[in-house]
Amino acid sequence: MKTPSPSLLSLALVHYPVVNKHGEVVTTSITNFDLHDLARTSKTYGVSYYIITPNPAQQNMARYIHNYWQEGIGASFNPDRSEAFDAMEVSESIADTCLTIEKLHGKPPTLIATSARSIKNNISFNKLREDLTQNDRPFLLLFGTGWGLAPEVLEKVDFILEPICGVGSYNHLPVRSAVAIILDRLLGKF
Amino acid sequence: MKTPSPSLLSLALVHYPVVNKHGEVVTTSITNFDLHDLARTSKTYGVSYYIITPNPAQQNMARYIHNYWQEGIGASFNPDRSEAFDAMEVSESIADTCLTIEKLHGKPPTLIATSARSIKNNISFNKLREDLTQNDRPFLLLFGTGWGLAPEVLEKVDFILEPICGVGSYNHLPVRSAVAIILDRLLGKF
């Protein structure tokens, strides 16, 4: 069996548009742990990841943290972390991320949303893994912060990835864990 | 194929004895994000998890956070988080955790260490998943904080789980991601 190509896959952590616990569309704040954990997990699986926020102050904070670990004291204290942050880029919107990927690959990405709930237009892990093996087009996986991606995103994407099912009805994985499990299911060797 | 039994599996996040970046045996501090993320991931996969630290002030802090989300303002603000913290227990040592598990199951657990490096006495993911299906004895997975479990732990365990391999040589996953990937490989349905 051919191995899926990680270079075709990118992921984005979306801070807008997402919903809060009341279902209202909001912009969430960046979480420092997300930047680190997603950088390390993305580097492990060889994918690029984008931090999406329209807020300039939040973009600056993400870039400040990125630069601290790549050029500041952090880079000499922990070179492994510096290497991880190679994978990260700040972006102002989903559309902007798609343009960046199109410039890199010559084609716009197939957009795949993730959700903790089962929603129509699902794609299975096996099917997406197969697509990553057999195609040469880029894919962008979208992860929502807060209470998940806004309905307007879910309506526009090409597919919604099937949810991760545990052993019971509890479906509140941290986004950091969901990213790790999904990358492993799509690209892991085991 | 039979499904592995999550109730036989527990995990422990070890803060002592672990090594620092210089290979010295130390006690690490508890990280708040670990408590939350491991609670949520453990609850998703139906396993118990133990926070191991010999430091009474650190034990108290972990219990304070646990109680805040189970009984305090946190419980009403986010009932899902309250449910997740059901999975967590504070323990003073690996030996103490083994005793707790022995009291619950009538047998001491088979001890399995995790490591980012390939070390002798490995057990594969497939073999451990099979063992969880075919046995009625408990298993305890040990995860090290800092720069990993101390050599004295690795020498005493029954097995060391094979490392998670990504697509290149980078092997610095956050413990939060490693726990998620390992539970999914052992207990996930996909």
Side-chain angles (χ1 to χ4, degrees), chain A residues 21 31 33 37 40-41 44-45 77 80 84 164 166-167 170 172-174 176-177 181 184-185 189-190, chain B residues 21 31 33 37 40-41 44-45 77 80 84 164 166-167 170 172-174 176-177 180-181 184-185 189-190:
Chain A
K21 66 186 291 193
T31 300
F33 261 82
D37 282 15
R40 296 164 73 181
T41 307
T44 302
Y45 289 92
F77 176 76
D80 298 327
I164 297 165
V167 301
Y170 190 85
H172 306 282
L173 280 174
R176 297 166 290 284
S177 304
I181 292 165
D184 191 58
R185 286 188 183 189
K189 298 169 195 158
F190 55 101
Chain B
K21 66 187 289 192
T31 301
F33 262 82
D37 281 16
R40 296 165 74 181
T41 307
T44 302
Y45 289 91
F77 176 75
D80 299 326
I164 297 165
V167 301
Y170 190 84
H172 306 281
L173 280 173
R176 296 166 291 283
S177 303
I181 292 166
D184 192 58
R185 286 189 182 189
K189 296 168 195 158
F190 57 99

Side-chain angles (χ1 to χ4, degrees), chain B residues 62-180:
Chain B
R63 289 195 185 101
Y64 179 85
I65 293 168
H66 179 273
N67 293 346
Y68 174 85
W69 289 101
Q70 289 234 302
E71 295 162 21
I73 299 165
S76 52
F77 176 75
N78 190 345
D80 299 326
R81 197 61 52 89
S82 167
E83 198 184 341
F85 271 109
D86 287 346
M88 186 191 121
E89 197 166 318
V90 179
S91 180
E92 66 180 39
S93 64
I94 296 173
D96 180 56
T97 306
C98 289
L99 278 176
T100 303
I101 292 171
E102 187 170 357
K103 276 183 202 154
L104 282 171
H105 291 273
K107 297 172 189 174
T110 300
L111 275 179
I112 300 172
T114 58
S115 172
R117 288 171 298 121
S118 192
I119 306 174
K120 66 179 168 62
N121 201 19
N122 263 9
I123 185 168
S124 70
F125 284 98
N126 283 339
K127 178 71 174 68
L128 181 53
R129 190 175 166 113
E130 199 181 300
D131 281 359
L132 286 167
T133 309
Q134 296 178 339
N135 284 282
D136 61 355
R137 67 179 199 272
F139 293 81
L140 175 60
L141 272 175
L142 302 174
F143 290 86
T145 53
W147 263 250
L149 293 163
E152 65 196 78
V153 178
L154 298 176
E155 282 158 19
K156 276 185 199 158
V157 295
D158 298 293
F159 299 102
I160 298 172
L161 187 59
E162 66 172 313
I164 297 165
C165 290
V167 301
S169 58
Y170 190 84
N171 69 342
H172 306 281
L173 280 173
V175 72
R176 296 166 291 283
S177 303
V179 166

